[in-house]
Amino acid sequence: MTSRISTLAVHAGEEKRKPYGAVTTPIVRTSTFTFADSAEIMAFMRLKASGAWPVRDEYGRYSNPTQSAAERKLAALEGGQAALLFSSGMGAITCTLLALLSSGDHVIFVKDCYHRSREFMTKCLPRWGIECTPVLLDEPAALEAAVRPNTRLILTETPTNPYLRVVDLGRISKIASKHRVITMVDSTMASPVNLKPLEYGIDLVIHSATKYLGGHNDLLAGAVIGPRSLLQGVEHMRGLLGGMSNPNEAYLLLRGLKTLALRVQRQNENGLMVAQFLEGHPRVLRVYYPGLASHPDHEVAARQMAGFGGVVTFELQGDLDMTGQFIDELRIPYIGPTFGGVESIVEQPAALLSLDPREREAAGIKDNLVRYALGVEDAEDLIADLDQALAKTWQGV
Ligand SMILES: *Cc1c(COP(=O)(O)O)cnc(C)c1O
């Protein structure tokens, strides 16, 4: 029986019969897992040596039952063989890269990717003899042209941040398999409700579970999902580096995941309605939302995604200060640098990027840019709020 996304979100990965007949998976708070006697240790060691997986829990830095349940649920949601949970999205990205790459390898990444991933690839990996080449999305031939005999991995993100560019995953995996290169997609912005990269032949999916997967702005976690063959080395590296999540976060993630499909469906609806409203407003110069026909990647997004997501980016008719003033006039959203939770959150990317206007320009971030991450509030209220803030900001101008 194959289940659909909402059923998987509620039930996948969890035992039907839990301790004490509880409905929910328990938070197993323990640092280590004991053995009854020496014979049990020997049986465990023999099982491990046979390559069996999963084996029983041994020590909290390697695995924990609450965490394993969250991993099984994530694997089911992405349609992957296995998942590994980490203390953050960056924990997942850096550990996976360190496990898969060696000195002398070459990595290609999409330039628009998360700025900390980019920093790790351009500033840290070269120190260990790994070269990284950025490619631009608007140059389709650049990706294949960048492939070298020692290219080991291609990392992309879709949709990207903050311009929500959508990458054609079928095209990337075709080029990668021709050259026998591993493909890794940071799918944080899409969530498995809107996109399943593995269906397009991508090898590994990365998530910052801090965003849509957790969904309540109350946890930090990360995950990588894919075939056991690739994840075995990553799991070993996680044990060495110590980037494991913890049972409390894993429980919050399990709880948040149950409503993933409901939340993202609402956020998709809010995203489209808010984007359409903004596109029709005279004080808004440009709206970036893959669900709008005006978006450069609308056609790929419509083909590849089940929904267009809950983040809308737009440019206002104004400078750094005026844009800040508009944000201050909004009454519903919080001001801050994240997305994916039930609470709407707005940010002015330029304001958090740098105090130096030249640095902002070099990063391609305009002063009048706003990124609005929609929560699950009512679209009518969010739109009315935007409308009053736009009116107030330009009052008497
Ligand atoms: C937030 C984010 C990350 C980093 O995740 P953390 O959980 O904050 O470490 C990585 N990639 C993308 C696309 C993100 O939005």
Side-chain angles (χ1 to χ4, degrees):
M1 196 174 80
T2 55
S3 296
R4 293 171 178 76
I5 191 109
S6 289
T7 312
L8 291 173
V10 175
H11 295 289
E14 299 189 66
E15 308 284 348
K16 187 99 188 196
R17 288 300 295 168
K18 301 181 187 78
Y20 310 111
V23 175
T24 52
T25 291
I27 302 173
V28 181
R29 286 224 63 99
T30 185
S31 56
T32 197
F33 299 87
T34 59
F35 295 85
D37 51 27
S38 304
E40 198 175 318
I41 294 187
M42 292 316 292
F44 164 73
M45 292 304 286
R46 278 192 291 270
L47 192 64
K48 217 162 65 161
S50 76
W53 186 89
V55 281
R56 54 153 279 173
D57 299 298
E58 175 189 357
Y59 185 64
R61 200 174 65 248
Y62 309 134
S63 72
N64 170 289
T66 316
Q67 190 152 329
S68 301
E71 289 175 337
R72 290 191 299 267
K73 197 184 283 289
L74 290 173
L77 287 168
E78 285 289 358
Q81 228 173 32
L84 296 172
L85 204 58
F86 291 85
S87 56
S88 70
M90 281 312 293
I93 294 167
T94 54
C95 182
T96 304
L97 290 174
L98 289 173
L100 295 174
L101 300 170
S102 301
S103 171
D105 285 344
H106 173 240
V107 175
I108 299 171
F109 68 97
V110 165
K111 195 165 175 242
D112 279 15
C113 71
Y114 182 62
H115 68 118
R116 295 295 182 199
S117 309
R118 197 165 59 223
E119 182 179 342
F120 184 71
M121 286 185 285
T122 56
K123 299 222 173 98
C124 300
L125 290 182
R127 285 168 43 205
W128 303 307
I130 299 156
E131 273 189 282
C132 301
T133 306
V135 295
L136 291 171
L137 280 171
D138 285 319
E139 294 165 12
L143 179 67
E144 190 153 19
V147 177
R148 304 180 196 167
N150 62 336
T151 303
R152 169 98 170 122
L153 189 137
I154 298 173
L155 172 66
T156 185
E157 211 168 292
T158 183
T160 65
N161 195 0
Y163 294 109
L164 305 165
R165 298 300 307 269
V166 178
V167 177
D168 185 339
L169 295 183
R171 198 178 73 80
I172 295 216
S173 66
K174 213 158 117 192
I175 293 170
S177 66
K178 186 168 135 197
H179 298 279
R180 299 185 176 276
V181 174
I182 298 169
T183 46
M184 188 162 134
V185 169
D186 182 336
S187 194
T188 300
M189 185 64 93
S191 92
V193 180
N194 288 337
L195 177 72
K196 296 221 183 69
L198 301 178
E199 288 178 357
Y200 294 87
I202 295 297
D203 297 309
L204 293 170
V205 178
I206 291 274
H207 277 287
S208 164
T210 313
K211 316 293 168 54
Y212 287 104
L213 301 184
H216 293 74
N217 293 315
D218 60 0
L219 67 86
L220 276 152
V224 56
I225 299 121
R228 273 298 301 158
S229 57
L230 283 174
L231 291 190
Q232 233 151 5
V234 182
E235 185 176 23
H236 189 73
M237 186 62 86
R238 182 182 65 178
L240 292 177
L241 298 180
M244 189 66 161
S245 181
N246 68 72
N248 277 25
E249 299 294 87
Y251 177 82
L252 283 175
L253 179 58
L254 276 171
R255 179 184 160 119
L257 281 171
K258 294 186 192 206
T259 54
L260 176 71
L262 285 171
R263 288 186 281 106
V264 174
Q265 276 151 17
R266 168 59 76 92
Q267 285 165 311
N268 286 340
E269 287 164 23
N270 283 353
L272 190 60
M273 282 170 79
V274 163
Q276 283 166 345
F277 163 77
L278 290 169
E279 197 166 49
H281 198 284
R283 297 296 180 191
V284 179
L285 298 181
R286 181 163 178 192
V287 182
Y288 301 85
Y289 186 69
L292 296 176
S294 58
H295 191 277
D297 306 318
H298 176 63
E299 186 259 327
V300 186
R303 180 158 40 86
Q304 188 169 274
M305 300 177 76
F308 301 110
V311 175
V312 180
T313 304
F314 52 100
E315 286 170 19
L316 290 175
Q317 196 185 66
D319 57 9
L320 189 75
D321 291 341
M322 198 117 178
T323 304
Q325 197 186 322
F326 159 78
I327 283 177
D328 294 343
E329 293 290 357
L330 288 167
R331 289 177 195 151
I332 296 177
Y334 290 91
I335 303 172
T338 192
F339 60 87
V342 291
E343 294 93 357
S344 284
I345 292 200
V346 70
E347 76 156 334
Q348 185 177 8
L352 270 171
L353 182 72
S354 165
L355 290 170
D356 183 349
R358 284 161 309 184
E359 261 184 45
R360 299 200 295 266
E361 199 183 319
I365 299 297
K366 293 187 187 172
D367 287 351
N368 61 347
L369 201 67
V370 178
R371 185 184 78 178
Y372 199 129
L374 296 144
V376 299
E377 301 94 338
D378 292 289
E380 293 80 357
D381 294 335
L382 297 172
I383 288 171
D385 184 34
L386 282 161
D387 202 27
Q388 67 80 26
L390 287 162
K392 268 224 186 107
T393 309
W394 277 273
Q395 207 166 41
V397 173

